[in-house]
Amino acid sequence: MTSTYPLSRVRQQFPALRTGSALFDAPGGTQTPTRVADAIRDAMVSPVSQRGRNNYSEQNADRIVRGARAAIGDLLNVDPRAVFFGRSATQITFDMARAVARRLGPGDEIVASRLDHDANVRPWVLAAELSGATLRWIDFDRETGDLTVDDVRRVLSDRTRFVAVTAASNLYGTAPDIAAIAAAVHAVGAEIYVDAVAYTAHELVDATALGADYIVCSPYKFCGPHIGVLGSNVEKLEALVPDKLRPSTMQVPERFELGTLPYEFLAGVTETVEFLADIIPGDGTRRERLERSYAAVAQHEHALFKRLVDGLAEIDGVERVGAPRTHVPTVLFRIDGRTTAEACAALGRADVAVMGGSFYAIEAEDWADLRDGAVRAGIAPYTSVEDVDRLLHAVRALTL
């Protein structure tokens, strides 16, 4: 932790921390600041209806939607007109995969990564089956969890049309070089779909710099409500026709949003982005404020992560699973003599929240032969030195 990081002020905004638990389950979902919950409540008790311009409730609904698109546009550095929302990143990716499949046929190739959460794998497997396209796999290093641009290049060809890959593994924490991968993908004339669910919690996304044609994330992984969001550009979205109701608009991005949007969650999304931008107070555009705050969060998280990883390495009987060269602050480990379930339960009794398993990264589990999975611990903006030391103490106690 750096001395300039306002940890106390950050932690005070999370009522969930009052329980006193040491929470390392952020890779599965972060806690919620009061201001985000207040924004959700305020939207629910204010006049809202279908979007329109005829009366206040219609105008209020429209304002909430436009505000959320603008906020995500700033967060991902994409055009707000190419931002749309769905129930989850999983649902959005299934919808996108079906739309992409309509453009493909026999002879075309879809490329998926074995490192990814199944939400960015199974939709593309099914899209290949639906379209008759060939599915090709990107392998990763079983020992380290690394996935490199060379791993991707090995499976690209002039028949590749679509590549799906993660910006950060929800299992190992691996952060592949997406900019280099995207350049390789574009060099063969294909498009790239990036799962940034585990990435956006720790790194400020710049979809343009990354070269992502489509990028999806989940606000509940970065202190927001349970909803999914995708950013792209208008031209690419206009080229896709999703499943929709006959009277629903064909306008982009609304053509991708099924039914009435959850306005209260969208109000929460806007406030989430504002919360992130305000971690380090100061002037500037929202994007500039986000850049400043994300840089401070990264410094804070990296220091705590080093303390955690170094501490685990000093405990006899603890084995780290994977050690990717570039990563977000997520660590996977095993404790000798304990199954993953036993370790998680014992740590829970010590009031330390971790998670165990393979976390829906089923292809990675099979590829790396992680039959019992492992214990996963992740750092969040509200994590403290005391939290890390409690986890290390609790782990050490399980090895005695």
Side-chain angles (χ1 to χ4, degrees):
M1 185 185 70
T2 64
S3 59
T4 57
Y5 185 74
L7 179 62
S8 177
R9 184 172 63 81
V10 170
R11 287 178 64 88
Q12 287 172 5
Q13 299 183 67
F14 290 87
L17 301 183
R18 295 171 190 164
T19 63
S21 299
L23 303 176
F24 290 90
D25 51 0
T30 46
Q31 306 306 311
T32 307
T34 299
R35 60 189 286 179
V36 173
D38 287 345
I40 293 170
R41 177 197 177 278
D42 290 346
M44 292 190 75
V45 299
S46 66
V48 289
S49 62
Q50 298 295 327
R51 296 172 62 192
R53 306 302 303 168
N54 293 325
N55 56 63
Y56 180 80
S57 63
E58 291 181 352
Q59 294 166 10
N60 191 37
D62 191 61
R63 176 188 61 79
I64 290 172
V65 173
R66 291 179 183 275
R69 294 204 208 284
I72 292 297
D74 287 341
L75 183 70
L76 304 182
N77 197 25
V78 297
D79 186 339
R81 298 173 302 167
V83 169
F84 69 84
F85 299 93
R87 184 175 63 82
S88 64
T90 302
Q91 175 251 302
I92 286 173
T93 305
F94 266 115
D95 290 346
M96 289 293 288
R98 285 193 297 271
V100 167
R102 291 194 176 97
R103 296 164 45 182
L104 304 180
D108 293 328
E109 294 177 353
I110 296 174
V111 174
S113 156
R114 296 191 194 277
L115 183 66
D116 280 55
H117 187 293
D118 207 50
N120 201 34
V121 174
R122 205 57 38 197
W124 306 110
V125 172
L126 296 176
E129 293 176 0
L130 180 65
S131 65
T134 299
L135 180 72
R136 304 194 70 185
W137 290 100
I138 305 168
D139 297 334
F140 66 91
D141 190 303
R142 291 181 172 96
E143 298 300 319
T144 67
D146 282 313
L147 186 153
T148 70
V149 64
D150 288 335
D151 295 325
V152 178
R153 287 195 184 105
R154 274 191 284 271
V155 296
L156 298 178
S157 76
D158 59 3
R159 294 185 174 184
T160 305
R161 300 293 177 261
F162 216 84
V163 176
V165 67
T166 187
S169 164
N170 74 312
L171 182 64
Y172 294 100
T174 308
D177 186 346
I178 293 298
I181 291 171
V185 170
H186 293 151
V188 299
E191 292 184 310
I192 183 168
Y193 187 96
V194 178
D195 176 353
V197 171
Y199 183 85
T200 313
H202 307 287
E203 300 289 341
L204 182 59
V205 173
D206 186 333
T208 301
L210 291 175
D213 297 301
Y214 312 91
I215 193 158
V216 65
C217 62
S218 301
Y220 78 96
K221 297 296 180 74
F222 48 90
C223 307
H226 286 74
I227 192 171
V229 60
L230 182 140
S232 181
N233 69 59
V234 172
E235 292 74 19
K236 289 189 178 299
L237 294 185
E238 285 179 338
L240 294 173
V241 180
D243 294 335
K244 57 177 287 297
L245 301 182
R246 181 181 173 189
S248 298
T249 181
M250 275 295 288
Q251 183 176 350
V252 167
E254 284 83 0
R255 73 166 74 167
F256 295 91
E257 293 169 334
L258 305 180
T260 301
L261 288 169
Y263 302 127
E264 64 276 17
F265 281 0
L266 298 196
V269 164
T270 300
E271 193 60 31
T272 299
V273 176
E274 285 294 334
F275 160 75
L276 294 172
D278 285 344
I279 287 177
I280 302 297
D283 298 328
T285 66
R286 183 159 53 194
R287 180 69 185 186
E288 290 169 342
R289 291 160 52 220
L290 284 164
E291 290 171 350
R292 181 168 57 237
S293 291
Y294 260 86
V297 169
Q299 188 176 5
H300 166 73
E301 291 184 340
H302 291 169
L304 291 182
F305 187 69
K306 184 178 187 304
R307 186 183 187 96
L308 173 58
V309 171
D310 289 350
L312 290 172
E314 294 173 357
I315 303 174
D316 290 337
V318 172
E319 173 197 10
R320 183 177 179 184
V321 179
R325 290 189 296 271
T326 56
H327 53 78
V328 295
T330 297
V331 63
L332 202 63
F333 63 95
R334 294 192 182 105
I335 302 173
D336 286 352
R338 304 272 184 168
T339 67
T340 295
E342 288 169 349
C344 290
L347 291 171
R349 289 191 293 271
D351 214 10
V352 175
V354 295
M355 300 181 74
S358 59
F359 315 103
Y360 280 67
I362 190 70
E363 298 296 338
E365 178 185 44
D366 290 346
W367 181 248
D369 197 22
L370 299 175
R371 289 189 178 88
D372 186 41
V375 178
R376 183 182 68 181
I379 307 296
Y382 46 74
T383 307
S384 69
V385 168
E386 291 76 18
D387 289 337
V388 172
D389 290 346
R390 283 178 60 190
L391 172 56
L392 292 173
H393 177 79
V395 170
R396 187 175 291 108
L398 297 183
T399 66
L400 301 177

